[in-house]
Amino acid sequence: MNLAVLGPHHLAVQVTDLAAAEGFYHGVLGLPVLKRWPFEDGRAGERALWLSAGPDTFVALERATEPMRPADFSDPEARLHLFALRIAPGDRAAWEKKLAEAGVEIVHRSRWTLYVRDPDGNRIGLSHHPYDPMSSRLRQQGIQDERVLAAFDSVAREAFVPAESRAQALEDRPLDIGFGQTISQPYIVALMTEALQLEAGQRVLEVGTGSGYQTAILASLGVKVFSLEKIPELSQRAEQALKAFEGVKLQVADGALGWPEEAPFDAILVAAAPTAVPPALLEQLAPGGRLVIPVGPDPMHQELQLWTKGFDKPRVLSQVRFVPLI
């Protein structure tokens, strides 16, 4: 039963009994302990405790001697509605059983959320509210190609992320896939795909297979995908995730060199950032072919460029942050 946080990236919770709070947040909700903070004046015990609520999120439990001021909320007894933790829709019954076994009262049930209180009376939600369809969110962000939008609704992103991240798979942000690599946020995947203006039957080179999610989106458009990945373990994992997709060919190789045996390509998509565009990729484009690539010296100074074979200068699509091309 995985949890993902909904709300602020970091939360500080004042508690009167740190041990009781740990029993609830760690023992019942299952948030892993990240760090323990001693009292600065040398007193015995701990003044604070950090717990993980996701790959880049933590909850800080901070010991307080005075009760918190009640918050203005529709339930006058709710005190602070701190945050909601996302649970998988199919896990609601299992969570109800777990909470009952732990002696934690469910103070309110709604269609999508179970509400409980921590030992200090703060209300926490366990939510399985469904997200809007991926295409709906992408359309609101400016993606217009209906074929691209349909591809995002047909490909389950959770099938391309590690098990511990599946509860966050529908969030519009990058996720860690191991080996120092990430799966790009859906909007960036859509932006890059739309910029290629693909037609069924075309040949596309992808540099950086990664999780295989971008590969699957491309394959869903009816193109033939030739995908290169430098890290063997990622290529093997992606191969398993891509078994249901036709027209995909994978290879473990240096993406900066392209795939000369399969060139020319109607389009090339690069999912990692070099400091400059590798000449081999431009050379392997067919006349009029399009290359979408993030370029820059570091993640804080990168731009997404669109090159068209036959033109000397690229068009900048967006400022981006990608892992470096290795």
Side-chain angles (χ1 to χ4, degrees):
M1 297 184 294
N2 293 328
L3 288 167
V5 75
L6 301 178
H9 289 291
H10 306 295
L11 295 160
V13 183
Q14 287 188 321
V15 300
T16 54
D17 186 331
L18 192 59
E22 180 179 352
F24 174 78
Y25 287 93
H26 174 62
V28 178
L29 297 185
L31 304 185
V33 175
L34 292 177
K35 191 170 183 178
R36 298 179 183 275
W37 295 87
F39 283 105
E40 295 175 350
D41 58 9
R43 279 181 288 163
E46 298 168 348
R47 65 176 177 86
L49 182 68
W50 285 6
L51 303 107
S52 172
D56 58 358
T57 310
F58 68 85
V59 175
L61 304 180
E62 299 178 348
R63 190 189 298 269
T65 56
E66 297 181 0
M68 294 174 290
R69 178 178 61 84
D72 183 13
F73 193 69
S74 58
D75 174 1
E77 301 301 322
R79 303 188 70 182
L80 295 179
H81 181 179
L82 290 174
F83 58 96
L85 292 167
R86 178 167 295 280
I87 62 176
D91 283 349
R92 177 172 175 136
W95 271 102
E96 292 207 38
K97 180 180 178 181
K98 178 179 180 178
L99 293 169
E101 292 174 347
V104 175
E105 179 187 3
I106 298 175
V107 298
H108 180 66
R109 289 174 171 85
S110 72
R111 182 180 180 184
W112 305 115
T113 307
L114 301 173
Y115 292 98
V116 298
R117 297 192 195 281
D118 73 4
D120 282 271
N122 301 306
R123 197 161 83 159
I124 310 297
L126 302 179
S127 173
H128 57 88
H129 194 286
Y131 284 94
D132 292 334
M134 188 76 77
S135 60
S136 176
R137 286 180 282 150
L138 292 173
R139 187 176 282 107
Q140 292 173 10
Q141 292 172 293
I143 303 301
Q144 300 178 6
D145 189 318
E146 291 297 330
R147 294 178 60 245
V148 172
L149 292 168
F152 276 84
D153 282 344
S154 69
V155 177
R157 191 175 186 233
E158 57 267 27
F160 296 89
V161 300
E164 61 271 17
S165 299
R166 284 175 187 159
Q168 299 137 303
L170 295 182
E171 297 177 11
D172 191 28
R173 64 185 181 92
L175 295 173
D176 181 25
I177 59 171
F179 305 96
Q181 305 299 300
T182 61
I183 178 174
S184 297
Q185 71 179 99
Y187 169 68
I188 293 298
V189 175
L191 179 66
M192 296 175 73
T193 305
E194 185 176 57
L196 293 177
Q197 300 181 7
L198 298 172
E199 298 179 6
Q202 289 187 321
R203 296 163 56 84
V204 180
L205 174 65
E206 179 190 29
V207 176
T209 311
S211 68
Y213 180 59
Q214 173 76 80
T215 320
I217 295 294
L218 294 171
S220 297
L221 296 173
V223 301
K224 298 178 181 179
V225 187
F226 301 84
S227 188
L228 300 171
E229 174 56 54
K230 183 78 169 182
I231 301 171
E233 293 86 349
L234 286 181
S235 183
Q236 292 168 8
R237 188 190 301 169
E239 183 177 10
Q240 294 299 312
L242 290 164
K243 282 186 174 181
F245 295 86
E246 298 181 355
V248 175
K249 187 174 182 180
L250 306 180
Q251 186 179 83
V252 177
D254 183 351
L257 302 178
W259 200 330
E261 297 84 3
E262 297 290 353
F265 300 100
D266 299 295
I268 298 176
L269 184 151
V270 183
T275 56
V277 177
L281 299 184
L282 289 172
E283 292 170 4
Q284 291 174 30
L285 274 178
R290 300 163 75 87
L291 163 67
V292 173
I293 182 171
V295 180
D298 58 71
M300 299 302 295
H301 302 87
Q302 292 175 1
E303 58 185 25
L304 188 62
Q305 299 179 353
L306 170 63
W307 291 78
T308 302
K309 190 68 172 283
F311 292 83
D312 295 332
K313 293 183 179 180
R315 180 161 69 92
V316 176
L317 301 177
S318 176
Q319 300 300 308
V320 291
R321 296 179 66 178
F322 274 79
V323 296
L325 180 65
I326 57 174

